[in-house]
Amino acid sequence: MQERLQKILAHAGIASRRHAEEIIQSGRVTVNGAVVRELGVRADAACDVIAVDGARLPPAAPRRTIVVHKPRGIVSTLDDPEGRPTVRTLLGGIKSRLYPVGRLDVNTTGLLLLTNDGGLAAALLHPRRGVPRVYHAKVRGAPGEQALTRVRRGVHLEDGKTLPAEVRVFEQRPTKTWLEITVREGRSRLVRRLCEAVGHPVEKLARVRFGPLTLGKLSPGSWRDLTPGECGTLQRAAGLSAGAAAAAARPRRAPGTSRSPTWDATPSPRATGTRGSGGRARRGACCGGRRAGRSPR
């Protein structure tokens, strides 16, 4: 699969995406022996010979997706400039570089996906897919039918009107209410802002489902690989066809025998709808790796 060169370098652990762009522009990268300086060049890590400062990149890691039960106080990024603990601290035993699929704010707990499959991540987050995210929110007070109807119809926020959401009350207390809210867009702190806008601020928030996936019995701070069945279900939820998965799994040409990298003059987006990989993984894991793990205490 052809991807932008800076993305390939980042996935190989050479540098961050931004630093990888600087490396390319400085003329330190070659593809099949030719120096590349333009940021629009695409290459295939499985077929092309890519080198940085004369050293060839290691083979691409197998596709892998895991689910993490994020506890409160953990930042959903791999690095944090403020020095707060990040999701990386939970990934004991994982050597491959995985990236969060979207984010949960530092005080939100629950289901977080991490993957090295950029096509899958982009498809899951694409607004057109409308992949549902289900949250349990404890809010102040007792939302009436008028407030719930506003959430269901869409609420005007500072960054525009929200898409219609699903909401139901599943536990009522004297001064608090537990709501189940399903949204199909990935705006920052969306559920918290929705509840604030209708007069019932969130006190606790947990994501309990992403698309077809749930946490099950996974304890806070733990992670596990997706099963092959879960991988297939997730790909279908993301709109990735079985044909696309099969194409991604076909044998590739030997390194160094592919066609030259191609130039793409379109602007570089943060996420593109490239297709994810498929094929069978071994029983109990998705694209390699052990079945489950727990962060070191």
Side-chain angles (χ1 to χ4, degrees):
M1 180 178 67
Q2 292 215 339
E3 298 178 301
R4 292 180 184 273
L5 197 51
Q6 58 266 39
K7 184 176 180 181
I8 294 174
L9 298 185
H11 281 187
I14 300 299
S16 67
R17 187 85 63 94
R18 183 170 297 179
H19 188 206
E21 292 176 353
E22 297 173 358
I23 292 174
I24 294 169
Q25 290 176 315
S26 66
R28 296 167 55 190
V29 180
T30 60
V31 178
N32 298 330
V35 175
V36 175
R37 295 179 184 272
E38 297 86 358
L39 297 182
V41 169
R42 292 177 180 268
D44 189 329
C47 301
D48 295 312
V49 179
I50 304 170
V52 178
D53 296 331
R56 184 173 177 178
L57 293 190
R63 300 293 169 88
R64 186 178 189 183
T65 302
I66 68 170
V67 58
V68 176
H69 189 161
K70 187 188 95 64
R72 187 170 182 172
I74 297 292
V75 181
S76 298
T77 57
L78 299 181
D79 299 288
D80 182 61
E82 299 179 26
R84 295 172 295 180
T86 70
V87 70
R88 190 196 297 272
T89 63
L90 306 177
L91 306 182
I94 296 182
K95 296 182 180 180
S96 54
R97 189 174 178 87
L98 305 177
Y99 299 85
V101 181
R103 295 184 182 182
L104 296 175
D105 68 60
V106 67
N107 291 320
T108 298
T109 65
L111 192 156
L112 181 67
L113 289 174
L114 286 90
T115 187
N116 59 4
D117 188 337
L120 176 62
L124 287 170
L125 297 176
H126 199 289
R128 185 174 59 188
R129 304 296 183 194
V131 177
R133 293 90 153 160
V134 182
Y135 295 83
H136 285 173
K138 184 172 80 171
V139 302
R140 296 180 197 169
E145 191 57 35
Q146 183 178 4
L148 299 179
T149 299
R150 288 185 62 196
V151 173
R152 292 173 183 138
R153 291 179 176 176
V155 176
H156 288 280
L157 301 177
E158 62 271 18
D159 53 352
K161 187 178 181 179
T162 65
L163 294 177
E166 300 169 30
V167 59
R168 70 178 182 90
V169 175
F170 70 89
E171 186 176 343
Q172 187 75 64
R173 298 182 180 180
T175 60
K176 315 288 181 185
T177 303
W178 277 98
L179 302 175
E180 181 177 271
I181 303 175
T182 302
V183 297
R184 296 176 180 272
E185 52 184 327
R187 298 195 218 179
S188 175
R189 304 180 73 252
L190 176 60
V191 173
R192 292 183 184 275
R193 293 191 292 142
L194 263 176
C195 294
E196 179 80 31
V198 298
H200 298 277
V202 170
E203 293 190 348
K204 287 186 179 180
L205 185 63
R207 182 157 68 189
V208 298
R209 180 186 290 270
F210 191 117
L213 299 179
T214 63
L215 283 171
K217 297 182 180 180
L218 194 65
S219 58
S222 298
W223 61 269
R224 67 173 180 83
D225 283 279
L226 299 192
T227 67
E230 288 173 325
C231 285
T233 302
L234 193 63
Q235 286 178 333
R236 288 191 291 273
L240 301 177
S241 67
R250 291 187 190 121
R252 301 179 181 272
R253 290 190 289 264
T257 63
S258 70
R259 60 188 178 189
S260 300
T262 58
W263 165 256
D264 183 354
T266 58
S268 175
R270 293 289 299 171
T272 58
T274 52
R275 293 180 174 179
S277 69
R280 291 189 175 271
R282 65 179 177 82
R283 181 177 178 83
C286 178
C287 303
R290 59 185 180 180
R291 173 78 179 261
R294 186 171 181 86
S295 58
R297 296 183 181 272

